[in-house]
């Protein structure tokens, strides 16, 4: 609680040793608050936090063996990059010569060789973020807490750093708790993902399970794109009524597009069909994305581009089909 504001309501969660756990959720859902409680910067109003079986609720954050990257990468503004990185090593009593070696090694690793003498204000946002990540990693703590560690990076660098974080995790096996609102980052990095919504856990699962079998509409929409097949606006042939309180969900890549009059496939009895009109077609490198109007609904389709594939243009009539077994019923 922040005064009257309840930022995190109920959060009961067991993180496994060596696990990469990501807390994913929209802005304001309580991710940073949850992480700051884990780090010891914010005291929970009620409840406890245990590390390796011992309560750490009363242990100040500077006494805990953890590396942290704050949202907004809070570097020490009055210290050079080199001094920023050296700080955690110095706290642990490492000798100057050894510190210098470690810092240089780390700077090289994050492609910042030669930047040691600069002040944080003389770095770009992405460079600052890499320094922040390096500072959290350099003393090799058993627990890493990362709040939007790649938030300010451009796409290429972001992917590079994802690979870097992943390989560091594989190499050192540190328990890592990472907060992000970026679903791709969560999918790429995590052993398990916690989806948060308004201060509570919506679902915890592996990336695959979460994507393939989301429990709720919110989880389905937050992780990946989702079509909701909702009558009366949406009516497919041979519709199955969803169980009470659920809605039928279908991922865009599970849908096939065909000409309206095309012969049905051999497995037609296992499929559902719906006719529609192409509203938009976007070519995105290896993918083609269609928006198809079917009744009152717009269905999103993602197709992998193949050499001899038929392309449908806006205005064309098509028939969509998908395996009935690909439909998921999620809590509405
Ligand atoms: N110090 C504070 N005092 C009062 N309310 C706060 C405080 N810090 C956060 N909050 C509120 O608590 C809720 C959760 O905030 P939090 O920073 O944990 O969200 P978040 O999930 O990290 O969001 P973002 O993705 O934008 O970083 C928000 O509604 C926020 O306004
Ligand atoms: Mg936050």
């Amino acid at each position: 609680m922040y005064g009257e504001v309840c930022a995190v309501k109920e959060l009961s969660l067991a993180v496994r040793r060596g696990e990469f756990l990501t807390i994913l959720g929209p802005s304001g859902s309580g991710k940073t608050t949850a992480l700051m409680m884990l780090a010891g910067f914010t005291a929970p109003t009620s409840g406890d936090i245990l590390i390796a079986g011992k309560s750490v609720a009363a242990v100040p954050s500077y006494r805990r063996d953890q590396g942290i990257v704050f949202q907004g990468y809070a570097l020490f503004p009055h210290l050079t990059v080199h001094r920023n990185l050296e700080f955690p090593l110095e706290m642990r009593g490492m000798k100057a010569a050894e510190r210098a070696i470690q810092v240089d090694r780390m700077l090289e690793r994050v492609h910042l060789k030669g930047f040691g003498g600069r002040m944080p204000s003389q770095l770009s946002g992405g460079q600052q973020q890499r320094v922040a990540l390096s500072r959290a990693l350099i003393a090799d703590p058993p627990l890493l807490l990362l709040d939007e560690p790649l938030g300010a990076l451009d796409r290429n660098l972001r992917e590079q750093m994802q690979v870097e974080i992943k390989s560091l995790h594989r190499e050192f096996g540190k328990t890592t708790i990472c907060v992000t609102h970026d679903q791709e980052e969560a999918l790429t990095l995590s052993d398990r993902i916690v989806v948060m919504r308004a201060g509570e856990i919506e679902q915890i699962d592996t990336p695959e399970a979460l994507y393939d079998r989301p429990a709720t509409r919110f989880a389905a929409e937050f992780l990946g794109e989702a079509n909701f097949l909702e009558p009366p606006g949406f009516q497919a042939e041979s519709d199955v009524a969803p169980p009470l309180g659920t809605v039928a969900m279908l991922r865009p890549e599970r849908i096939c597009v065909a000409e309206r009059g095309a012969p049905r496939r051999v497995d037609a009895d296992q499929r559902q069909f719906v006719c529609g009109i192409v509203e938009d077609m976007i070519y995105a490198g290896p993918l083609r994305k269609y928006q198809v109007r079917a009744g009152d609904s717009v269905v999103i389709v993602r197709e992998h581009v193949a050499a001899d594939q038929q392309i449908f243009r806006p205005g064309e009539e098509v028939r969509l089909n998908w395996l009935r077994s690909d439909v998921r019923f999620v809590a509405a």
Side-chain angles (χ1 to χ4, degrees), residues 26-28 30-33 71 147-148 179 181:
S27 187
K31 306 180 298 293
T32 295
T33 305
Q71 186 168 19
D147 194 352
E148 308 276 1
V179 160
H181 62 263

Side-chain angles (χ1 to χ4, degrees), residues 17-320:
R17 193 184 296 267
E19 178 173 43
F20 198 113
L21 186 92
T22 297
I23 301 177
L24 178 71
S27 187
S29 59
K31 306 180 298 293
T32 295
T33 305
L35 201 75
M36 288 302 106
M37 290 194 289
L38 288 172
F41 289 104
T42 303
T45 315
S46 62
D48 202 355
I49 294 161
L50 287 84
I51 296 177
K54 285 201 203 82
S55 175
V56 293
V59 181
S61 68
Y62 65 87
R63 302 265 319 269
R64 301 190 191 181
D65 203 4
Q66 58 196 8
I68 305 174
V69 174
F70 297 95
Q71 186 168 19
Y73 35 81
L75 296 170
F76 303 122
H78 57 290
L79 298 181
T80 62
V81 168
H82 188 98
R83 292 285 300 139
N84 262 279
L85 290 191
E86 209 178 17
F87 185 76
L89 301 176
E90 209 172 338
M91 293 285 287
R92 282 167 177 76
M94 189 183 279
K95 296 229 169 61
E98 175 65 11
R99 293 201 302 259
I101 295 170
Q102 296 280 347
V103 170
D104 285 345
R105 192 178 293 159
M106 190 50 106
L107 284 175
E108 191 159 352
R109 183 152 210 175
V110 297
H111 317 289
L112 285 176
K113 207 177 160 187
F115 283 73
R118 294 224 200 160
M119 301 305 280
S121 61
Q122 297 169 317
L123 299 176
S124 75
Q127 289 164 343
Q128 289 182 44
Q129 204 145 23
R130 276 181 282 161
V131 174
L133 198 57
S134 308
R135 192 180 56 183
L137 286 166
I138 198 159
D140 199 21
L143 178 63
L144 264 183
L145 302 169
L146 315 174
D147 194 352
E148 308 276 1
L150 307 179
L153 305 186
D154 64 46
R155 195 183 173 80
N156 282 339
L157 204 52
R158 203 180 170 93
E159 281 175 10
Q160 265 179 39
M161 287 303 287
Q162 281 175 9
V163 172
E164 184 68 18
I165 291 179
K166 187 112 192 151
S167 86
L168 284 164
H169 183 252
R170 215 174 290 130
E171 204 174 319
F172 299 108
K174 286 189 238 296
T175 309
T176 306
I177 302 174
C178 176
V179 160
T180 184
H181 62 263
D182 184 293
Q183 40 168 290
E184 191 192 302
E185 196 169 301
L187 287 171
T188 312
L189 293 174
S190 322
D191 294 313
R192 285 192 304 160
I193 298 173
V194 180
V195 178
M196 277 194 73
R197 175 191 193 179
E200 288 182 275
I201 293 177
E202 182 85 353
Q203 189 175 355
I204 309 181
D205 238 316
T206 62
E208 290 89 343
L210 209 69
Y211 186 79
D212 190 44
R213 304 208 164 262
T216 65
R217 184 181 185 127
F218 180 86
E221 276 183 309
F222 204 75
L223 204 76
E225 261 182 316
N227 292 299
F228 297 100
L229 315 178
E230 288 175 288
F234 187 91
Q235 204 81 55
E237 268 178 62
S238 67
D239 237 352
V240 195
L244 199 68
T246 71
V247 58
M249 190 280 295
L250 188 61
R251 293 292 186 196
E253 66 277 13
R254 299 289 180 179
I255 305 175
C256 308
V257 196
E259 258 177 274
R260 184 171 183 148
R264 300 201 172 195
R265 300 161 165 249
V266 283
D267 61 354
D269 59 326
Q270 293 163 43
R271 288 182 174 266
Q272 285 182 290
F273 296 85
V274 71
C275 290
I277 293 173
V278 176
E279 278 194 339
D280 205 358
M281 190 274 285
I282 297 163
Y283 177 76
L287 287 174
R288 200 175 281 127
K289 186 170 161 180
Y290 290 105
Q291 269 181 36
V292 178
R293 174 157 294 278
D296 289 344
S297 320
V298 174
V299 181
I300 309 288
V301 182
R302 276 173 185 277
E303 240 185 12
H304 278 279
V305 172
D308 55 352
Q309 209 169 31
Q310 196 173 352
I311 300 172
F312 301 96
R313 306 282 171 193
E316 284 190 64
E317 288 189 45
V318 292
R319 191 166 60 197
L320 307 178

